[in-house]
Each structure stands twice: as structure tokens, then as C-alpha cells.
Amino acid sequence: MKDPIDLSGDGGVIKTILRQAKADAVGPTEGLPLVDVRYEGINAETGEVFDTTHEDNTVFSFELGSGTVIKAWDVALRTMKVGEIAKITCKPEYAYGSAGSPPEIPPDATLVFEVELVACKPRKGSTVSSVSVERARLEELKKQREIAAASKEEEKKRREEAKAAAAARVQAKLESKKGQGKGKSKAK
């Protein structure tokens, strides 16, 4: 068991890793926001289990950041990798707050979840390959923009050098005319 990590910075969401994921495991990303989890929820004060997927051996699926789960889960699951099991302790302000979720969860309840991240998937209508293709397309556009910007910068630099050269030629002509004018006056 690892040391507890304060994910929220205010003690509201504490994560303790119970089982580390494999080194090459993936975690939720913008391209893989749908997660499947197994969990057990416990009221920290009473020790009573109020919800679990273990009894019927199911998974719970949701999209991170969509507002369908308590804030603590959005915070904690973003830090997890597939295969990881963590104990997530949630203060009321990151769970159900002063309203609770009667009858199972009383007002201002601190909750403890044991959560296993089972899978991360792309949104419906997109696939991992379509996400990869889109990411590659965006990278290519970014490169093209960088090349265009560098080309514009190079053109701007050439114009400035040409202006400077032209100004230097004009200045040289003026200087030579001044020198010629002075020479003629002295000769008289």
C-alpha cells in the first residue's frame, strides 16, 4: 500500500494506491474519456457499504468530466491507470455535500471508495484508431502552421534586409554627393 496522496490540495480527495497498475498501462485522456470501474462505497462514519459492483460482478461506465459522478471521482480517476486499485476518501464537498443522497448517504458524509479502473475507451462514435488519425491530422496541421510561420518570418527578414541595403545605398549616394559638392567648392 502506497502513501496517501492529497489530490485536491485541501484534503477533500485522498487517494491511496492499493494495487499499482502495470508500467505500460493507459489512463484516461481527452481521447479516452470513457471509463469502466468496479467499486465499493463505504460510509466512513458507520463503515456500512452503501453501493457496490462486486455483488453482481458488473462494471460502472461513465465519461470523466461530464458531471455524471461525484467530483471526487472526476478528480481521482484522472490520476489512475487501467488495472490500478485505489482507496479514495472523499470529504462531503467532493461527494454529496450537505444534501447527502438519502436514504443511503446522510448529509455531510465522508465516503470511502475502493475503485478499480478496468478500462478506458474513446467516446461513442469514435474509435481508438479514429482518435489516433485525428491526433495525427492535428499534428500535421500544427507542423504546416509552424512551417508557414517560419516562412513568413524568413520573408519578413529578407524584406528588412533589402530595405536596409537600399537605405545604405541611398545613404552612400548622399554621402558621395556631399563629398563631391564640397570638393567643387574648395577648388574654386
Side-chain angles (χ1 to χ4, degrees), residues 20-140:
Q20 192 81 36
K22 292 181 181 174
D24 62 345
V26 298
T29 62
E30 195 173 306
L32 300 171
L34 297 177
V35 295
D36 291 345
V37 297
R38 287 193 188 97
Y39 69 93
E40 183 167 84
I42 302 163
N43 181 324
E45 191 175 308
T46 65
E48 290 181 32
V49 174
F50 61 84
D51 195 10
T52 183
T53 59
H54 297 275
E55 287 177 2
D56 54 4
N57 199 29
T58 59
V59 295
F60 175 62
S61 302
F62 66 96
E63 183 173 347
L64 282 174
S66 66
T68 57
V69 294
I70 60 173
K71 187 175 179 183
W73 276 34
D74 270 335
V75 170
L77 282 160
R78 290 179 194 283
T79 70
M80 294 179 70
K81 304 276 185 200
V82 171
E84 180 179 322
I85 298 176
K87 178 176 125 183
I88 311 296
T89 304
C90 320
K91 295 290 183 193
E93 55 273 19
Y94 288 90
Y96 294 97
S98 59
S101 184
E104 292 86 9
I105 302 167
D108 297 315
T110 295
L111 307 177
V112 178
F113 291 91
E114 185 174 297
V115 181
E116 176 185 7
L117 181 55
V118 177
C120 299
K121 300 178 279 193
R123 284 182 185 86
K124 287 181 175 35
S126 62
T127 63
V128 174
S129 63
S130 72
V131 169
S132 297
V133 167
E134 181 65 10
R135 187 174 291 127
R137 186 184 74 77
L138 292 173
E139 280 299 316
E140 184 60 32

Side-chain angles (χ1 to χ4, degrees), residues 176-186:
S176 72
K177 284 185 179 181
K178 280 184 185 177
Q180 289 173 356
K182 289 180 182 177
K184 289 180 183 176
S185 323
K186 289 182 183 177

